């Protein structure tokens, strides 16, 4: 069994293991942010007040034109807000010279933006050079990062971006963004131009890197699957405002309104089960049921209900033994239990009329 | 009347060389003047798209003025001689220089520039490390065209006494000496080809850094 994603009620650090000192810092606070591109025009974003906790991977999700990229670019001052303040670890981002602020935040964009006339190593070395590192430290860092993103340095160091595939280029883009050891990473639809297989591989890599180093990551996408897969918390945006800011499970099971419900597919039973932990369906191994036998199929308590469902349908048995991290049986689940937790929450049920209207 | 032969070139190498030198000086001075005017026009045109199109249009129209007419038109203002020729040649070169500066600067991938800014490069660093080296191949291509066109057009400067290899052509026609014309034509062609090669070489090796060199090479 591989699924280990837990959806603990505490919103931060879903992937949090092995926190280290780099995890300190990276809190981003938006306070009453609004941005209009020109006077009299509708605001691109408005009334945005929220906090992204250090080490959190937050996905900004919404349809095109909802303001999600604007919000991201306000964070590293590629745009300046019309009103409101943004602070990084309590300091107004306007208090730093803009170039220094940006060097402290990794930035990854969809088109990669690699310098075509720089070799891969020089592309990765851009920010360390700006930070004035010595050559030895830079060389070491470049090799370390190329290894980290799965590009053997001896093979790739001296190549030019045009000699790499799209997926490899985006790996370099990720390495480049990480090069200056930023505590914050801003990613603007970084995997949007990649094919499905490459995209899911890079999503895995990103999760691995996030688990390992615990940066604060703000990740913009319009891809709901990507958002549910990556996010500790999701900011759902529409028409320049934040509609909901919560964990993937809460967004899917308790959508704030019909727009969110439709966007994230709250009606989709399998999607809900994908996010729902099985713990609510666990029944105790008390005297009323036969004790667990070694040959019975088992599942970790942290697995999503969807996995339990698949295993149940696939196995001959009527129940699965739920085991804890030490493979010790702690209870059991059956189809009835999963059926029970698969029911839509009252919030979703209440939206059904509006949803069927929207889907028509 | 002499036949079409290389006799003239053989008998007067010093004079032909002297005229070639004059021709080169006149052409390069005109290009230099052109560059001084083209850079601000090109940068402005690249920066403000509304400006770029009219600038290119006007310069294109200037280029269509026949050279002899252009020279004659300026005689009342600048008189006969070198200044007149310089202005006309520089004006012609602008068309190629400005257009390629605009195209080159605008052609730099917006994503690359955004990434550069987003990583914390200052505006000057963005220009020196990204925009300029990436626009360089296109700008150099414009320079090469401008130089070749200027060297060939500088021939008509001989008509208003501005010197250069044009004198061999005009004198050759007047004196009915095809050998002179041939000598002038060969010298002009060689000059144009050699200067063109020289600029390519310069662009490659005087590129301020390795990065710009890679950009030129990959073009």
């Amino acid at each position: 069994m591989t699924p280990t994603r837990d959806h603990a009620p505490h919103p931060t650090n879903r992937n949090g293991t092995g926190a280290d000192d780099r995890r300190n810092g990276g809190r981003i606070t938006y306070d009453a942010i609004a941005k209009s591109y020109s006077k009299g025009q509708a605001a691109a974003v408005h009334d945005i007040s929220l906090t992204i906790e250090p080490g959190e991977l937050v996905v900004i999700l919404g349809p095109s034109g909802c303001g999600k990229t604007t919000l991201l670019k306000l964070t590293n001052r590629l745009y300046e807000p019309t009103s409101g303040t943004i602070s990084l670890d309590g300091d107004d981002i306007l208090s730093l010279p803009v170039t220094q602020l940006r060097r402290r935040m990794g930035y990854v964009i969809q088109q990669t933006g690699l310098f075509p006339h720089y070799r891969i190593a020089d592309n990765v070395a851009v920010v360390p050079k700006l930070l004035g590192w010595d050559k030895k430290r830079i060389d070491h860092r470049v090799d370390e990062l190329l290894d980290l993103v799965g590009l053997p340095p001896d093979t790739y160091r001296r190549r030019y971006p045009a000699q790499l595939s799209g997926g490899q280029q985006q790996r370099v883009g990720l390495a480049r963004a990480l090069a200056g050891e930023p505590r914050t990473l801003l990613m603007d639809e970084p995997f949007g131009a990649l094919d499905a297989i490459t995209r899911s591989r890079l999503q895995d890599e990103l999760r691995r890197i996030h688990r390992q180093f615990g940066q604060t990551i703000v990740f913009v996408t319009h891809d709901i699957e990507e958002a549910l897969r990556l996010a500790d918390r999701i900011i759902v945006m529409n028409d320049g405002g934040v509609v909901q800011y919560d964990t993937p499970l809460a967004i899917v099971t308790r959508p704030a309104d019909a727009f969110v419900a439709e966007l994230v597919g709250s009606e989709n039973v399998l999607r809900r089960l994908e996010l729902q932990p099985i713990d609510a369906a666990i029944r105790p191994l008390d005297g009323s049921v036969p004790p667990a036998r070694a040959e019975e199929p088992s599942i970790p308590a942290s697995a999503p209900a969807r996995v339990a469902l698949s295993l149940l349908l696939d196995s001959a048995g009527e129940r699965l033994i739920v085991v804890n991290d030490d493979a010790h049986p702690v209870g059991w689940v059956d189809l009835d239990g999963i059926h029970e937790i698969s029911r839509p929450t009252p919030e979703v049920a209440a939206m059904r009329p509006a949803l069927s209207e929207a889907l028509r | 009347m002499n036949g079409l032969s290389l006799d003239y070139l053989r008998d007067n190498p010093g004079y032909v060389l002297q005229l070639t030198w004059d021709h080169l000086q006149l052409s390069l001075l005109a290009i230099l003047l052109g560059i001084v005017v083209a850079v601000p026009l090109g940068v402005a045109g690249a920066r403000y798209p509304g400006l770029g199109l009219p600038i290119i249009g006007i310069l294109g129209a200037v280029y269509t003025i026949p050279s002899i007419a252009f020279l004659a038109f300026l005689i009342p203002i600048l008189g006969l001689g070198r200044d007149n020729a310089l202005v006309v040649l520089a004006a012609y070169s602008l068309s190629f220089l400005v257009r390629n500066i605009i195209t080159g600067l605008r052609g730099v991938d917006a994503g690359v520039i955004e990434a550069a800014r987003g990583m914390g490069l200052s505006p000057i660093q963005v220009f020196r490390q990204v925009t300029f080296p990436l626009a360089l191949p296109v700008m150099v291509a414009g320079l090469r065209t401008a130089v070749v066109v200027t060297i060939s057009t500088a021939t008509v400067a001989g008509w208003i006494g501005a010197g250069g290899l044009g004198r061999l052509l005009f004198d050759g026609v007047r004196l009915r000496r095809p050998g002179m014309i041939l000598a002038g034509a060969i010298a002009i062609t060689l000059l144009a080809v050699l200067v063109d090669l020289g600029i390519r070489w310069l662009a490659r090796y005087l590129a301020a850094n390795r990065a710009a060199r890679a950009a030129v090479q990959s073009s």
Side-chain angles (χ1 to χ4, degrees):
Chain A
M1 287 308 306
T2 49
T4 53
R5 292 166 64 191
D6 63 316
H7 294 276
H10 182 62
T12 61
N13 293 341
R14 180 169 82 196
N15 301 323
T17 54
D20 57 22
D21 53 354
R22 278 181 242 180
R23 181 153 294 161
N24 301 327
R27 171 183 284 105
I28 307 168
T29 310
Y30 302 85
D31 185 16
I33 287 297
K35 166 73 181 169
S36 313
Y37 287 107
S38 54
K39 275 205 171 101
Q41 221 177 348
V45 299
H46 55 82
D47 300 328
I48 298 206
S49 295
L50 55 88
T51 299
I52 294 171
E53 298 296 338
E56 231 183 335
L57 200 169
V58 167
V59 171
I60 309 178
L61 174 73
S64 47
C66 72
K68 55 190 190 298
T69 293
T70 302
L71 186 59
L72 188 82
K73 289 184 178 178
L74 285 164
T75 314
N76 65 357
R77 292 183 60 191
L78 284 172
Y79 297 151
E80 303 286 356
T82 312
S83 63
T85 52
I86 301 173
S87 32
L88 182 62
D89 296 326
D91 301 323
D92 189 333
I93 58 170
L94 295 172
S95 65
L96 271 179
V98 67
T99 52
Q100 277 187 37
L101 174 80
R102 289 173 184 161
R103 288 167 201 177
R104 283 172 54 183
M105 297 180 153
Y107 187 48
V108 185
I109 59 175
Q110 182 174 334
Q111 318 88 302
T112 75
L114 295 181
F115 297 176
H117 55 308
Y118 277 30
R119 295 180 191 278
I120 297 308
D122 298 317
N123 265 291
V124 177
V126 168
V127 173
K129 273 187 185 148
L130 292 172
L131 294 172
W133 295 11
D134 63 58
K135 188 179 172 335
K136 211 177 134 200
R137 184 175 172 203
I138 293 176
D139 289 348
H140 179 77
R141 181 69 178 152
V142 166
D143 286 359
E144 182 181 56
L145 282 164
L146 289 179
D147 270 329
L148 182 72
V149 299
L151 299 171
D154 289 338
T155 313
Y156 290 98
R157 210 187 283 122
R158 295 188 54 77
R159 295 204 180 164
Y160 285 98
Q163 295 169 294
L164 270 56
S165 70
Q168 290 171 330
Q169 287 183 21
Q170 199 50 282
R171 283 167 192 269
V172 177
L174 185 58
R176 180 177 69 170
L178 293 168
E181 297 179 345
R183 289 171 304 182
T184 310
L185 211 52
L186 307 180
M187 309 183 76
D188 192 359
E189 306 211 23
F191 310 142
L194 305 175
D195 64 84
I197 295 169
T198 309
R199 189 186 315 145
S200 99
R201 277 201 195 124
L202 276 157
Q203 287 165 350
D204 289 343
E205 305 268 316
L206 180 67
R207 275 170 59 185
R208 180 175 59 78
I209 289 166
H210 182 238
R211 198 158 47 232
Q212 198 173 342
F213 300 105
Q215 304 91 343
T216 304
I217 300 181
V218 188
F219 187 108
V220 165
T221 186
H222 60 254
D223 177 351
I224 172 66
E225 300 293 343
E226 186 166 70
L228 295 178
R229 218 172 146 195
L230 292 174
D232 292 321
R233 284 200 285 174
I234 297 175
I235 298 171
V236 182
M237 289 188 68
N238 191 27
D239 288 336
V242 172
V243 189
Q244 193 169 8
Y245 181 26
D246 215 328
T247 62
L249 176 63
I251 297 240
V252 171
T253 56
R254 296 193 303 278
D257 60 18
F259 166 79
V260 178
E262 195 196 345
L263 181 74
V264 302
S266 293
E267 281 281 47
N268 184 331
V269 175
L270 289 178
R271 173 162 290 163
R272 289 201 302 267
L273 289 179
E274 176 74 45
L275 294 163
Q276 240 157 349
I278 43 171
D279 47 16
I282 298 177
R283 293 166 208 220
L285 281 163
D286 53 20
S288 64
V289 292
R293 283 168 292 117
E295 66 272 21
E296 277 188 285
S298 68
I299 183 168
S302 56
R306 165 99 186 247
V307 174
L309 179 66
S310 301
L311 273 176
L312 271 172
L313 294 175
D314 207 33
S315 73
E318 307 227 313
R319 67 174 190 177
L320 297 175
I321 301 301
V322 180
V323 296
N324 62 13
D325 291 345
D326 306 322
H328 188 76
V330 293
W332 59 280
V333 292
D334 63 2
L335 278 175
D336 283 345
I338 292 172
H339 189 211
E340 200 59 43
I341 63 170
S342 74
R343 291 186 203 288
T345 54
E347 288 91 337
V348 174
M351 274 166 205
R352 280 215 159 130
L355 279 178
S356 49
E357 187 68 30
L359 294 172
R360 190 170 296 139
Chain B
M1 179 181 147
N2 296 326
L4 193 62
S5 76
L6 292 174
D7 292 354
Y8 184 86
L9 193 57
R10 198 188 54 216
D11 297 342
N12 306 280
Y15 181 56
V16 173
L17 212 61
Q18 175 63 47
L19 289 178
T20 307
W21 177 240
D22 289 351
H23 197 101
L24 181 66
Q25 271 192 327
L26 178 67
S27 306
L28 292 188
L29 257 166
I31 286 286
L32 218 60
L33 186 62
I35 290 172
V36 169
V37 180
V39 167
L41 281 180
V43 170
R47 175 117 201 188
Y48 307 103
L51 219 56
L53 225 59
I55 290 178
I56 291 175
I58 291 168
L59 294 175
V62 168
Y63 185 68
T64 61
I65 304 172
S67 50
I68 294 200
F70 203 167
L71 287 166
F73 179 71
L74 288 180
I75 289 172
I77 306 164
L78 294 168
L80 290 168
R82 190 157 162 143
D83 291 351
N84 188 333
L86 268 179
V87 169
V88 170
L89 294 176
Y92 283 149
S93 75
L94 282 182
S95 174
F96 302 98
L97 295 172
V98 172
R99 189 174 51 207
N100 282 48
I101 290 172
I102 292 177
T103 315
L105 292 177
R106 275 218 208 124
V108 178
D109 183 348
V112 175
I113 291 176
E114 190 194 310
R117 292 179 62 215
M119 281 190 291
L121 276 76
S122 68
I124 291 170
Q125 286 168 332
V126 172
F127 186 79
R128 279 188 41 199
Q129 294 184 35
V130 181
T131 317
F132 182 74
L134 290 177
L136 193 62
V138 178
M139 297 194 292
V140 166
L143 180 65
R144 284 170 53 193
T145 314
V147 166
V148 171
V149 167
T150 302
I151 287 175
S152 60
T153 313
T155 311
V156 294
W159 181 66
I160 56 161
L165 290 162
R167 285 186 62 174
L168 285 181
L169 302 194
F170 288 109
D171 290 351
V173 170
R174 203 170 56 240
L175 303 172
R176 299 178 183 249
R177 289 178 66 180
M180 267 177 105
I181 299 173
L182 187 65
I186 289 173
I188 290 166
T189 310
L190 274 179
L191 187 62
V193 169
L194 289 177
V195 171
D196 185 43
L197 284 174
I199 291 172
R200 281 172 70 173
W201 183 84
L202 264 181
R204 207 169 285 176
Y205 289 95
L206 291 187
N209 53 49
R210 171 179 49 84
R213 200 139 66 227
V216 175
Q217 271 162 359
S218 66
S219 69

